[in-house]
Structures are given as structure tokens and as C-alpha cells.
Amino acid sequence: CPCSALYFIPPQPGSRYSISGGNLRISQLNKEEDAGIYQCLASNSFGTILSREASLHIAFFENFKACGAVQQVSPLDFPIELTFSWIFNEYPSFVKQDTRRFVSQKTGNLYIAKVEPSDVGNYTCVVTNTVTQSRVQGPPTPLVLRSDGIMGEYEPKIEIQFPDVLAVAKGLTVKLECFALGNPVPSITWRRPDGVPFPRKVDVNKSSGVLEIPYFQQEDAGAFECMAENSRGKNTVKGRLSFYAPPHLVEKPQDVQKAIDESLLWECKASAKPKPSYRWLKNGEPLESFEDRIQVVNGALSISSLTLSDTGMYQCIAENRHGRVFANTELRVIAVAPDFSNSVLKAQTLARQGGDVLIECRPRMSPRGMISWRKGKEALRESHRVSVLDNGSLRISNITKLDAGLYTCVARNQFGVASSAGTLVVKEPTIITSKATQLDVTVGESVVIPCQVSRDPTLDVRFTWFFNEQLINFGSHGGYFEKVGGASAGDIMIRNIQLRHAGRYTCAVQTKVDSASIATDVVVRGPPDPPLDIKVDEVTETTSFVSWSPGPDNHSPVFAYNIQIRSPFSLGWQAAKTVPASLGGQQLSARVVELSPWVEYEFRVLATNSVGTGEPSKPSQKIRTKDTLPRTTPARVSGGGGSRSELVITWEPVPEELQCGPGFGYVVAFRPLGGQSWMQAAVTSPDASRYIFKNESIPPFSPFHVKVGVYNNKGEGPFGSVTTIYSAEEEPSRAPSRVRAKSLSASEVEVSWKPLPWSTSRTRIMGYELRYWSTKDRPDTASVMRTVGNRTSAVIRGLDPSSTYYIKLKAYNSAGVGPDSAVVNVTTKRPPPSQSPVKVMWNATDSKLILKWDHVKALENESEVMGYKVMYKQSRQSRPSVVETNSTSLELSLPVDEDYIIQIKPVSEGGEGSSSKQITIPRIAGLNL
């Protein structure tokens, strides 16, 4: 709002006072005339408000003085933000504060607890105004040492201390100073006499003698103590900080607009310590409550029977001795004739037959007048169904068709009359014709929940569904819910219903005039929930007792339970054998049998009802069956082989789940065939699969009876069946004879020999080992090939063409290898032709295929061509047929009713040469027709 600032200082030409934009400027300040309290009055056509107070202080720096070891500066007599510092000898050498030197920011004095020779010099006080940033210096003050004696030691003398009581405002930072003279230099400590420790925010600067408390609060108030101490004694001073808070508004009055004769209540509340007092201003002047209708109680202003003269600007002032706050607000009192321009009656109001309706009439008028109603042209009479409310609105209950028509609201006060009209239209009620019921369905089925209605045909209807009071968003919920009722019905279908869909479904029907709802309870029957609280006890070597609690049966009684077990050795969960074998729906415990001793098991339970089998329970805690004597012996006991004088015995280890307890091992028993007494040896590792008995007296390849037993910490178990095993045999003692080698092709050599006797009393032949190398290789890099069984020849493949190879042979068995045969040599044939057949031509009839090609000529280093291999196959076959020929043509008797693929290779004594490109002979169309 535009306003002008009014001061009780009349601006005149040439005056020291000037006003610009509401600001006051004073030139050539005069301490006697200008210092004081100022306030601004702001006015416009709506009223006047008064600003808060502003204090003007005028200060000049003056009156410096100094003496002895305490350098002094006179303090100012009013609150101005000053800081003090001291220059030592020359600028910018300032005195640094420590435990011996202290500059008080309260008095400005410099204190030296114990004067040292280094302190001698000139000291100058510097005072800075932190608001104006101006600075002045006092005259230099010399400090000299007295020559008439030596300062002795003395107890601390506190020179600067804080007041006995100091009031501190909320939120401010307070600094307490404490410094003492003394020899030795005293130490300064702070504490609270009540023993309460300082909070973390408190800064105790021991070197400067200052205790600083930022953001002062109520809990910081109380007594404080400063103690100065040296070896000669100690001294203390005490003081108290009190807490105060200037007023702070917590509830402000708001601008209001009222009609004549209405009442006004403005609340104005402030927090402060001590508690504030309140007063009100109107248009900058104190509000006098001479009239009974104006009351001020605890800051609340009330005015009854408002008049136009009450219009204006109001201010609430909350104050205590530490300050005051203002809250500004405006009151407008209006007087107008009735007016419907902003609140006309609805042109058409819809209501349902048998229902209630409220037709609002809220004209703007001041003061409040009288309101009446007409239906058509007749005045409306109130009855038990028809009533006019205090606010002027019309209520009609239990509406009938006869209530339809034009209604007019007439408002009048002393300033005029106005009216507004609207039509009431009565509609048929909306009724849900479907009956509330309960649906019983099974998991996986689909169900339709009906919501059929009877309604006024001129009204649109909207259906909304809720599940357990939560809105159903069709298209979400995994696609389970679908509307199927069309426009005139609200039926929904639940597809593939699940247990979680059980509950209450509410159909809400709404039109412009009314609404209705119906609830249907859906019970979903499904497989039982998992059994609970699986417990296992009474554990033996092969049994355990399992018990459980039933879970929810999902509305279908449980008629059977099944127990499953799992161990580290099973493939997942397995059905357990129980006593009784069949567990009925009332059976909540059973004994599990045929468990393996010393095996860790888990148990779980499944429940079954008429719908199906539910999810299994959570696994029980793991339990281990008790141990017992082992009962299972190793399988596949055999042996043989090994080195000379050894008897090698092997077996398949017993699985851990069949070891029946800790400390499992094997007992190996053996004796020569025909012997009477058994020799035994213990094998302590449960994973061992062999035992070797070595004795120089064991004859080679002699038979032994062998059996393997088991034991654990409980004792020995049974032995397995007796098996005959032979001791180690001797290596072959002779080399094969009549070794011959023959080249088969460019890459193959056939080696033959006369075999050794297959078996003797001391050895057996398991096969032969061939070693071969070329002339360009060393014998120690020879390739090795072994045969198995009593063979007399072998073919070595993968050799280089036109190369000479050396070959030697020796027999081997389980004990090792025999001596080498004589070395033989053989040269591989030249390589086959590298050129492939070209110019392959073909001719086909209905039953023959004739092929011709050019002869392949071998190079000088290649084997001569001896003939050709022709390979052919139908396109759908995977393996080709082969025909050999010595000529360069071939006639094949083949039906040409399918496609053929042909390839031709040259053949030489060096082997097969390069193949021709694949030739595709297409089927001859028209044949066989």
C-alpha cells in the first residue's frame, strides 16, 4: 500500500533533518540534541501503523590513561561494539595474549601477570569501532622495571572478573573474563559449583582466561566459578548468569473483513522471559477500552457489535524489560445490500426420490438480514420435511415427485432485497438388485461376482469395486480381475483365483444423485498351508520321532500328511518310511524308520486335502542319528599287478552314509592259496581304496585268498566274501623275434613279429610296445605305440612319405617292460598324386549314369596312378558308395530320378590322392512318367 513516513520532526529548508522514501537523514550530529529514541509513523487511506523503536547513540573516543603493569584505557559509558588491542613499541607489533598477558575486551586494559625484562617498552592502546570500522590510538605508555628490589613470589590476585549477576538474552554469545596477577604466573580454571559439566558447545580458553558460551539457552544459566592458582596459593571469584528472552510472537492476528454488528476476536501471543505484557494500538494511537464492547485480555482483543468506525489498522505490542515486538493487522467493517452475483443458486439440483437434498443460499450482505423461500410463486411453508437452516439454506427430507419445481431464495436487510432461483429435479433411486451372498470356490477356478442395478434411465451410472476396502485397479493385479457386466451392470470375473483373493468384495454404484453398495464374501478353498513347528526327538541309530502342528487348511480339511527327509547324500528330498505307514489328517506325529546310522538328516511335512497337496513346511533343524557297528563291506574287491614282491589289494570305498559312525576304517585279511592262517592289516582312512603288502618271500604271480572287512569306533563289522588275487608278476624276460616291417602307403607301415608265450608261472604278457623314429630324429625322441593282447602285428599311421623309419619292439605287463628286439627299418612310399581329376563329364539316361574324366599324371616325386575311386551318393544320404576302376571312365547303373553328388579320387601305392570338386547331377525331369 502506498504510504508516507511521518515524523514529529518538521523538515524545513536548511534543516539538519531530511526525509527521503521514508528514511530520515541527520547531518552534523549533535550528541546533546540528536541522541535518543526514534519511531516512524506510516499512513495511507486504510489507517496508520507505528514502527518499532530505533535508538541513536553518539560516541567519541577519548580519555586514555596508563599505569604500572596494568595498562588502562577508560571505557565508554554506553553500549557500542568496540574491540581493544595494544601495540608494543611500534606498529604492527601487537601484544600476543597468553597465560601471562591478557587484554580485557570489557575494560580495554592490558594485564601482565608477571613482568619480565622482555616486557620493557612503550605500549599504545588501539580502540576499533566494529560498526563504523573507525580506529583511534592512545598515547604511548612506557613500562620500566623498578630498580629498588626484586619481586618475590605471591599468591594470585584476580584483577578482572565477571559480574555477580549477568543477564544474558536467549541466543546470544556470552564471554566471561577472569585474569589474575601473581608470581609464579597463575593458571586459570573454570567450573560450575553444582558439578554439572560444561556442554560441548562451551569454549574454555585457558591461555586467555575467557569462557565463551554460544547460543545461550535456559539450561546454560546458573553459577560459574573462576579459580586462579599457583604454588603460593589460590583465589576464586563467583558469578551467576541469568537467562532472559525478549518477546517473540507465536500467534499473530490476521487481516479480517467483517459485517456491521458482527464480533471480532484477535489472538496475540508471544513467548518471553519474563512474561510479556500486551497493549494494542489503532492507527498508531493506544486503543482505549472505554466501551464495554472492546476488551483486551492476555493479549487477545475482542470487539462486539462492530461499527464502520472500527475500521482501521491495529497493532499488538508484546513487551518486557528486554524488548518489544509489533504485530500489524487490518480490520474492514462493511455494510452492503444482499447480493447473489458471486453465489447464485445452482440452476438445477438433482435429488433421488426418498432421499434428502440441501439447496444452499449464501448471498453477500452486511449486516446479516432475513432469508425466505418460495416454490413457484407461493411462499414455502416449513414442515417436518421442509426446513430453512440458520445459514439460510433449504433442506428437504424424504423427497417425493411433488417436490420437483422452481425454488427461489429471497434475502433482505435494511439496505435492500435480492433473490436467486434454481430448479429441483427428482430422479428414480438407484437400487442394487443382486443379493448379498457368499461364494465358495476352489483355487484355479474362475468366478463371476454379480452387481446388477435398477436405476433412472436418464442418469449415467459408475461402478467401482473394492477388495478388502482397497480399490481394485483393473488391468493390474496380474490380470486376475476383469469387468464383464457391460454398461448397465457391474459384474466382475476373477480368473484363476488364488488363496490371496479370498475376502470381501464391495461393489459401489454411483450416479449424480445417489449411491449404493453391496458386499460379497468370497471363500477360496485350496491346498493346505505348510505345517508348522516341526520337531524331531527320540533319535536312535535308524529311527526318529517327528511331530508338527497343522497349518491353515484353506477351507478344506486335511486328510493326509507325508514326511520327507534329506541328507547330504540324497538327491533332494525323499519320501520317508513311517510308523504308521499312512498318516491321516488327525495324525500330528509319526516315527520315521529305516534311517542310516550316523547321518545328518532334515525333515519336512506336507499336508493334503481334497484340493491337493500344499507347500512343504520349513525344514526341521538338522539332527544326526546315533552311531552303531558298520554293516556294509567294500564292493569290487580285486587287485594284482604292482612291483616285484608286492601283493596289491583294491576295493571300492564304503560311502560315508553307510559307515555307521566316526573312526571308520578297513581290515584287510589275506593268506596264500591253501594256507590256514590269515594275515591282517588295518587301513585307517575311510577314503582308502587299496592296500599293498610287500615281502621279498612272495613268489611272483602267486594266488592269494583276500577279504576286506570294516570297523568304526563302535567296533568291528563283518568281512566281505573271499576273492583270489595274484601277487605281482615279473617283467617279460625275452624280446619278440622275427620282427618285420612293410610299407603300406606313403603314411602307413605294417610291423609283424613272432609273439612270446602268453603266460608262464612267473609272468604274463599284456601286449607289446613299439618305438619308432625317422632318420632325422634321435632314438630317445622316438614315438611310442602299444598294443593290447596277444597280437602279432600292428599298423603305424601318420608317417611322412618317402621317409626311412627305425622300429624296435618289446613286451610289457603289469610289472614293467621286457628287453628290446632287434631294430628294423622301413621306407614309406612316395606320396599320392597331388593333382585331382579334372574335366569330369557325365551323361545320364533313365537307368544309367556315364562318367568320364582326364587321366591324372603324377609328379616325379609322387606315386604313379594305379586307378580311381568314384564316390557317389544321393543328395539325401549321408554316407557315399564307392566304386574302384582302372580306367578314366565309368558306367553306373543308377536310376536318375534323384539328385546325385559325385567325387573322384586317384589311387596309387602311396595312397589316395586329392579329390575332385563335388559334382551335382540333377534329377532328370519327365523320366518315370
Side-chain angles (χ1 to χ4, degrees):
C1 65
C3 64
S4 59
L6 301 177
Y7 296 85
F8 295 101
I9 301 174
Q12 298 178 355
S15 170
R16 293 186 300 112
Y17 306 102
S18 61
I19 301 172
S20 176
N23 297 324
L24 174 64
R25 179 183 295 274
I26 306 175
S27 58
Q28 300 175 7
L29 284 173
N30 184 293
K31 182 176 181 180
E32 301 298 329
E33 295 182 8
D34 298 327
I37 307 297
Y38 290 78
Q39 283 183 281
C40 169
L41 283 172
S43 301
N44 64 10
S45 59
F46 296 104
T48 300
I49 59 173
L50 183 66
S51 76
R52 67 179 182 179
E53 297 171 345
S55 298
L56 174 62
H57 299 277
I58 302 172
F60 300 95
F61 295 119
E62 56 186 8
N63 299 331
F64 285 90
K65 61 183 181 179
C67 68
V70 179
Q71 304 294 334
Q72 297 180 331
V73 59
S74 62
L76 299 173
D77 57 356
F78 46 81
I80 289 181
E81 295 294 331
L82 302 178
T83 61
F84 300 92
S85 56
W86 287 81
I87 297 174
F88 179 54
N89 289 330
E90 294 183 355
Y91 179 83
S93 175
F94 285 90
V95 174
K96 294 183 180 181
Q97 298 186 70
D98 51 27
T99 56
R100 197 170 60 84
R101 291 171 292 190
F102 180 72
V103 177
S104 171
Q105 297 302 315
K106 300 298 181 184
T107 65
N109 295 343
L110 167 64
Y111 299 87
I112 304 176
K114 175 188 176 184
V115 178
E116 303 286 353
S118 60
D119 295 324
V120 173
N122 291 319
Y123 291 82
T124 303
C125 177
V126 179
V127 184
T128 303
N129 186 324
T130 60
V131 176
T132 64
Q133 293 300 310
S134 57
R135 175 186 295 180
V136 295
Q137 294 183 193
T141 300
L143 176 63
V144 298
L145 289 178
R146 296 173 56 179
S147 58
D148 57 353
I150 298 175
M151 176 68 71
E153 293 185 354
Y154 63 97
E155 67 180 16
K157 177 184 178 184
I158 296 178
E159 289 289 329
I160 183 168
Q161 62 188 59
F162 48 93
D164 291 341
V165 178
L166 177 63
V168 182
K170 175 183 178 180
L172 294 184
T173 297
V174 61
K175 295 182 179 180
L176 303 181
E177 295 184 342
C178 181
F179 193 78
L181 307 181
N183 186 20
V185 175
S187 63
I188 304 294
T189 57
W190 295 85
R191 74 179 190 93
R192 297 190 66 152
D194 57 8
V196 176
F198 292 129
R200 294 177 62 183
K201 69 176 182 178
V202 174
D203 182 18
V204 181
N205 192 329
K206 294 182 179 179
S207 63
S208 65
V210 176
L211 175 73
E212 181 177 329
I213 307 175
Y215 196 63
F216 193 79
Q217 299 297 312
Q218 176 73 55
E219 60 269 18
D220 297 323
F224 291 80
E225 180 180 277
C226 169
M227 182 172 67
E229 185 176 13
N230 64 10
S231 59
R232 304 296 298 178
K234 61 183 177 180
N235 208 341
T236 61
V237 294
K238 296 181 180 179
R240 177 175 295 276
L241 297 181
S242 63
F243 173 83
Y244 76 86
H248 171 73
L249 286 171
V250 295
E251 187 173 348
K252 301 178 182 179
Q254 303 297 320
D255 295 345
V256 294
Q257 181 174 288
K258 294 283 188 177
I260 289 178
D261 292 334
E262 287 189 342
S263 296
L264 168 72
L265 176 62
W266 266 328
E267 292 284 354
C268 179
K269 293 182 180 179
S271 63
K273 185 174 182 181
K275 290 183 177 180
S277 61
Y278 299 91
R279 55 192 175 93
W280 283 80
L281 305 180
K282 178 185 176 185
N283 294 328
E285 298 293 335
L287 180 64
E288 303 294 344
S289 57
F290 297 128
E291 303 177 55
D292 291 341
R293 67 187 188 89
I294 301 176
Q295 299 290 329
V296 176
V297 179
N298 292 329
L301 170 63
S302 63
I303 306 176
S304 60
S305 302
L306 289 170
T307 66
L308 292 175
S309 63
D310 293 322
T311 298
M313 299 298 297
Y314 290 77
Q315 290 177 283
C316 171
I317 304 175
E319 57 191 339
N320 63 12
R321 66 176 179 268
H322 302 295
R324 62 175 60 91
V325 289
F326 291 72
N328 306 325
T329 187
E330 179 186 0
L331 169 63
R332 292 189 185 184
V333 182
I334 59 174
V336 295
D339 180 17
F340 282 96
S341 59
N342 293 324
S343 57
V344 296
L345 265 67
K346 290 176 61 176
Q348 187 179 74
T349 300
L350 301 180
R352 72 174 179 88
Q353 186 176 346
D356 299 340
V357 68
L358 179 69
I359 305 176
E360 291 188 341
C361 179
R362 297 182 179 277
R364 179 175 179 263
M365 60 179 174
S366 181
R368 180 73 179 173
M370 184 179 69
I371 291 179
S372 61
W373 284 83
R374 296 197 307 267
K375 180 183 179 187
K377 296 182 179 181
E378 301 295 330
L380 185 65
R381 294 183 180 181
E382 294 190 57
S383 67
H384 67 282
R385 291 194 312 110
V386 180
S387 60
V388 178
L389 305 182
D390 292 341
N391 63 4
S393 298
L394 175 65
R395 177 183 293 278
I396 305 175
S397 304
N398 195 17
I399 295 173
T400 68
K401 289 284 187 178
L402 297 177
D403 292 321
L406 179 67
Y407 288 80
T408 303
C409 176
V410 181
R412 54 172 52 86
N413 66 9
Q414 64 262 41
F415 299 106
V417 179
S419 65
S420 180
T423 301
L424 175 63
V425 179
V426 180
K427 298 288 187 179
E428 294 290 338
T430 302
I431 301 173
I432 298 177
T433 58
S434 302
K435 301 298 182 182
T437 185
Q438 176 174 299
L439 298 178
D440 194 320
V441 293
T442 300
V443 166
E445 293 181 349
S446 295
V447 63
V448 174
I449 306 177
C451 187
Q452 304 286 328
V453 297
S454 167
R455 62 187 175 87
D456 192 301
T458 63
L459 294 177
D460 292 332
V461 63
R462 182 164 65 94
F463 296 92
T464 307
W465 280 89
F466 298 87
F467 172 49
N468 291 335
E469 300 182 358
Q470 298 296 316
L471 178 67
I472 296 177
N473 294 312
F474 293 91
S476 60
H477 299 283
Y480 288 100
F481 300 105
E482 178 184 348
K483 287 185 176 181
V484 294
S488 61
D491 301 353
I492 65 168
M493 174 181 284
I494 309 175
R495 298 183 183 276
N496 188 24
I497 197 166
Q498 302 297 307
L499 289 172
R500 64 179 178 276
H501 296 143
R504 170 159 290 190
Y505 290 81
T506 303
C507 175
V509 184
Q510 189 168 13
T511 67
K512 288 184 177 180
V513 300
D514 62 355
S515 61
S517 64
I518 185 174
T520 301
D521 292 322
V522 176
V523 176
V524 181
R525 303 186 188 277
D529 280 3
L532 308 171
D533 302 326
I534 312 302
K535 296 179 181 178
V536 183
D537 50 20
E538 298 181 22
V539 180
T540 69
E541 295 87 348
T542 58
T543 67
S544 65
F545 189 77
V546 180
S547 61
W548 59 92
S549 300
D553 63 7
N554 294 324
H555 309 290
S556 180
V558 174
F559 63 75
Y561 288 100
N562 292 284
I563 301 177
Q564 294 181 338
I565 58 175
R566 179 173 65 179
S567 75
F569 316 109
S570 63
L571 296 175
W573 291 92
Q574 308 289 330
K577 292 186 178 181
T578 62
V579 175
S582 178
L583 305 178
Q586 302 303 315
Q587 186 92 25
L588 298 179
S589 63
R591 187 170 299 279
V592 179
V593 297
E594 297 187 18
L595 302 176
S596 296
W598 197 246
V599 171
E600 194 173 64
Y601 286 98
E602 293 175 280
F603 300 81
R604 70 181 187 184
V605 183
L606 298 87
T608 302
N609 61 15
S610 60
V611 181
T613 299
E615 292 293 318
S617 68
K618 292 182 179 179
S620 68
Q621 289 187 342
K622 294 179 179 180
I623 63 97
R624 184 183 288 276
T625 51
K626 294 184 178 180
D627 56 345
T628 186
L629 290 174
R631 296 173 293 188
T632 304
T633 58
R636 299 181 183 176
V637 177
S638 61
S643 301
R644 186 189 298 270
S645 301
E646 288 184 347
L647 175 63
V648 178
I649 304 169
T650 62
W651 60 88
E652 187 176 286
V654 174
E656 183 180 348
E657 66 267 30
L658 300 178
Q659 294 175 3
C660 298
F664 183 82
Y666 303 95
V667 178
V668 181
F670 52 92
R671 67 184 179 188
L673 188 63
Q676 297 300 316
S677 60
W678 292 88
M679 291 179 284
Q680 291 188 353
V683 179
T684 59
S685 172
D687 299 321
S689 60
R690 63 187 293 150
Y691 171 73
I692 300 175
F693 174 68
K694 187 175 181 66
N695 192 304
E696 296 297 333
S697 64
I698 297 177
F701 203 55
S702 59
F704 280 80
H705 278 166
V706 174
K707 59 182 180 180
V708 181
V710 289
Y711 72 92
N712 61 19
N713 288 349
K714 282 285 187 178
E716 290 190 17
F719 278 95
S721 58
V722 176
T723 302
T724 300
I725 299 174
Y726 285 83
S727 62
E729 56 195 341
E730 291 182 340
E731 303 90 340
S733 58
R734 291 191 298 158
S737 59
R738 298 182 186 176
V739 180
R740 303 285 187 270
K742 180 177 68 172
S743 177
L744 301 179
S745 68
S747 61
E748 297 175 331
V749 168
E750 182 182 51
V751 182
S752 61
W753 59 90
K754 181 181 179 182
L756 297 173
W758 181 244
S759 177
T760 67
S761 61
R762 301 176 66 88
T763 186
R764 291 177 303 172
I765 302 299
M766 297 177 63
Y768 296 90
E769 181 179 282
L770 292 80
R771 290 181 173 268
Y772 57 95
W773 65 95
S774 67
T775 54
K776 59 185 178 183
D777 297 326
R778 299 196 311 273
D780 57 355
T781 63
S783 299
V784 178
M785 172 181 167
R786 277 195 168 189
T787 68
V788 178
N790 195 22
R791 295 177 55 182
T792 60
S793 64
V795 176
I796 302 174
R797 294 181 172 85
L799 305 177
D800 295 331
S802 303
S803 299
T804 299
Y805 285 87
Y806 299 95
I807 303 169
K808 61 180 179 180
L809 193 67
K810 52 187 169 184
Y812 72 89
N813 61 14
S814 61
V817 295
D820 289 329
S821 68
V823 177
V824 297
N825 64 75
V826 65
T827 300
T828 54
K829 299 184 181 298
R830 288 182 294 171
S834 58
Q835 302 296 319
S836 59
V838 296
K839 295 183 180 180
V840 179
M841 294 179 292
W842 59 272
N843 189 16
T845 65
D846 58 350
S847 61
K848 291 183 180 181
L849 179 62
I850 301 173
L851 297 170
K852 291 185 179 180
W853 60 90
D854 285 356
H855 176 68
V856 175
K857 186 174 182 180
L859 302 178
E860 289 185 4
N861 64 335
E862 296 176 344
S863 301
E864 291 295 331
V865 175
M866 299 167 56
Y868 298 90
K869 280 187 177 181
V870 178
M871 296 165 288
Y872 65 91
K873 67 174 181 177
Q874 293 178 342
S875 58
R876 292 178 295 179
Q877 295 175 335
S878 59
R879 297 186 63 182
S881 299
V882 179
V883 177
E884 296 188 9
T885 179
N886 294 328
S887 66
T888 58
S889 63
L890 182 63
E891 183 178 296
L892 298 174
S893 296
L894 299 174
V896 194
D897 56 353
E898 289 196 24
D899 295 346
Y900 282 90
I901 297 175
I902 307 291
Q903 280 186 298
I904 304 173
K905 287 183 179 180
V907 179
S908 69
E909 67 175 5
E912 297 178 358
S914 300
S915 173
S916 67
K917 293 181 179 179
Q918 282 191 353
I919 301 168
T920 302
I921 300 176
R923 156 180 196 274
I924 299 177
L927 295 178
N928 303 327
L929 294 179

